[in-house]
Amino acid sequence: MKQILLNPGPVTLSQRVRDALQGQDLCHREIEFSNLQRKIRQKILAAYALDNKTWASILLTGSGTAAVEAMLVSCVPPSGKILIVENGVYGERMTKIAIAHNIDHEKLSTGWDQVISLKKLDKALDGSRYSHVAIVHHETTTGRLNDIAAISEVCRKHGARVLMDGVSSFGGESIDFEKWELDACAATANKCLHGVPGTAFVVARRVLFQTTHPAKSVYLDLAQYLVKQDLGETPFTQSVQCFYAFDEAMNEFLEEGGWQARHQLFSSRMSKVQKKLLSFGIKPLIELSESSCVLNTFQLPLGKVYQHLHDELKSLGFIIYAGQGHFSTKVFRLSLMGAISENDMNRLLEALTKTLR
Ligand SMILES: *Cc1c(COP(=O)(O)O)cnc(C)c1O
């Protein structure tokens, strides 16, 4: 049976993206690879209408975490200090990265189901001890879409630059790179952009790399990637087949109407699922007005064990996703990215009825 992935990446692939994996074998030192890489880099910037003079997209072989780690390692100078804002697993992961690389940092933690308090942020940044604030846009732990517009205003007031984990929002949510004055945003091919896992990227301001610092990582040094990629080269072997698939996924993404179209698509799918679940008394964990269109977390119905719900839905062809940490016995998560047809959606609604009745 065809399995539809309702986990927040990797996603169910379209036939067109899957077929692209069959592209010819390619040496990463040949002009064909260089052209492929250049096209993908342009399409990533086109996704948010970013100017190539100010912004660079930098391609990495790795999962989303590689991009987040590369961003933190490469965009904070040795004299810098980051305030890491946490309200879920992915914010906490950035703190782990800072610790692993000995990056000067403090954290501002909020409960996983809580809104980030602008007041607390303002207070924490007071005295301008921080050069940067690192924050997750869409906290996939809960589905909360953090209000980066408001948060970035507080950061600006204190002269702190924003580094954003946009791994599960890039391509599906509005990201105002200029207005939010982002320094960099880390993302991946295999979530809202519908590519295959294996390629991740960082969109960063070119100016960040105009002064050079000793690299804190060999593999994740964005400065080195940028120099090479601007020359049409790559410092290391890239996942060539994943690049083919990513290029095709970007064609599909741009043809379909970019992030706005995807936002609308994900939202309309999600509202159908919300309605169905609500008819069984199953409520979302956080306010819908504070949720992303990409993923929602729902309270498990009374007397229903996650594993049973998961297994029943799996037997009907749908893979749902567990909560993390202390949420694991209380909630389940549903993401509606990927190549999901009308028919798949109807089957999903039927499957939910069958398992929840
Ligand atoms: C998926 C995700 C990541 C990266 O996870 P990987 O397993 O490394 O791809 C990072 N941040 C957020 C918010 C995510 O949703």
Side-chain angles (χ1 to χ4, degrees):
M1 191 197 320
K2 184 184 172 192
Q3 300 237 82
I4 300 292
L5 302 183
L6 306 178
N7 48 291
V11 300
T12 309
L13 299 178
S14 69
Q15 195 54 45
R16 171 172 177 189
V17 170
R18 186 184 303 286
D19 289 346
L21 286 166
Q22 303 284 349
Q24 67 166 327
D25 299 335
L26 210 53
C27 169
H28 62 291
R29 304 277 175 230
E30 293 297 321
I31 183 75
E32 291 84 357
F33 175 79
S34 182
N35 288 338
L36 176 63
Q37 180 171 255
R38 181 173 38 79
K39 280 193 289 173
I40 299 171
R41 294 182 70 209
Q42 283 168 350
K43 288 167 196 173
I44 290 170
L45 293 186
Y48 285 91
L50 297 174
D51 172 8
N52 174 50
K53 287 196 189 71
T54 309
W55 297 94
S57 58
I58 304 168
L59 288 167
L60 300 166
T61 286
S63 79
T65 305
V68 176
E69 190 156 358
M71 174 177 76
L72 295 182
V73 162
S74 310
C75 299
V76 183
S79 60
K81 181 167 183 174
I82 331 178
L83 181 69
I84 301 169
V85 182
E86 303 177 336
N87 60 343
V89 167
Y90 297 99
E92 292 171 10
R93 185 173 294 174
M94 291 202 285
T95 300
K96 286 187 185 156
I97 291 170
I99 292 168
H101 293 278
N102 216 357
I103 299 170
D104 196 7
H105 71 282
E106 297 284 342
K107 56 186 185 183
L108 177 68
S109 304
T110 306
W112 281 7
D113 49 358
Q114 301 290 305
V115 189
I116 290 159
S117 155
L118 296 177
K119 243 194 208 151
K120 282 190 187 153
L121 178 67
D122 189 45
K123 214 169 142 203
L125 290 175
D126 205 25
S128 297
R129 289 170 296 140
Y130 299 98
S131 56
H132 296 81
V133 167
I135 179 136
V136 178
H137 186 203
H138 168 218
E139 204 11 295
T140 323
T141 312
T142 55
R144 180 178 297 284
L145 195 64
N146 285 319
D147 184 357
I148 309 296
I151 287 165
S152 68
E153 243 174 76
V154 178
C155 296
R156 185 178 317 138
K157 182 179 143 195
H158 295 283
R161 307 293 307 172
V162 179
L163 301 174
M164 190 172 90
D165 171 345
V167 176
S168 61
S169 58
F170 194 102
E173 297 286 354
S174 166
I175 301 177
D176 199 331
F177 284 78
E178 295 297 349
K179 213 163 172 190
W180 300 353
E181 290 191 40
L182 300 184
D183 255 7
C185 171
T188 185
N190 67 294
K191 295 199 187 188
C192 303
L193 296 174
H194 295 182
V196 307
T199 307
F201 59 92
V202 177
V203 173
R205 286 186 192 268
R206 288 183 170 276
V207 67
L208 300 187
F209 306 102
Q210 275 166 8
T211 42
T212 52
H213 312 288
K216 292 194 200 87
S217 166
V218 174
Y219 192 69
L220 298 174
D221 177 21
L222 291 180
Q224 186 194 190
Y225 279 90
L226 181 58
V227 169
K228 290 281 190 186
Q229 292 188 359
D230 278 349
L231 292 170
E233 299 168 11
T234 175
F236 309 108
T237 310
Q238 297 274 22
S239 52
V240 176
Q241 281 73 13
C242 297
F243 272 39
Y244 280 135
F246 192 17
D247 186 46
E248 196 53 40
M250 288 308 294
N251 290 341
E252 196 173 59
F253 171 83
L254 294 169
E255 283 165 24
E256 284 173 358
W259 73 262
Q260 293 92 336
R262 225 152 252 186
H263 184 86
Q264 212 164 30
L265 177 69
F266 297 160
S267 301
S268 85
R269 287 174 181 172
M270 193 57 88
S271 81
K272 285 178 193 151
V273 167
Q274 285 160 354
K275 224 188 261 165
K276 171 62 70 182
L277 291 174
L278 206 57
S279 75
F280 290 101
I282 298 173
K283 293 193 190 114
L285 181 75
I286 54 176
E287 293 284 335
L288 292 179
S289 61
E290 297 170 358
S291 296
S292 76
C293 66
V294 174
L295 173 140
N296 279 184
T297 300
F298 297 95
Q299 274 146 1
L300 274 170
L302 222 59
K304 197 87 180 170
V305 178
Y306 172 76
Q307 199 59 45
H308 292 167
L309 182 62
H310 168 273
D311 294 353
E312 283 170 68
L313 285 168
K314 184 170 182 178
S315 74
L316 297 170
F318 298 95
I319 305 294
I320 62 166
Y321 211 48
Q324 284 157 301
H326 61 277
F327 278 169
S328 63
T329 55
K330 297 186 190 123
V331 303
F332 65 100
R333 292 182 288 171
L334 283 181
S335 173
L336 297 164
M337 295 179 283
I340 302 176
S341 67
E342 279 291 314
N343 183 39
D344 297 330
M345 272 309 291
N346 291 335
R347 285 197 307 114
L348 170 62
L349 298 176
E350 276 167 33
L352 288 171
T353 304
K354 205 165 160 190
T355 48
L356 293 167
R357 195 168 39 210

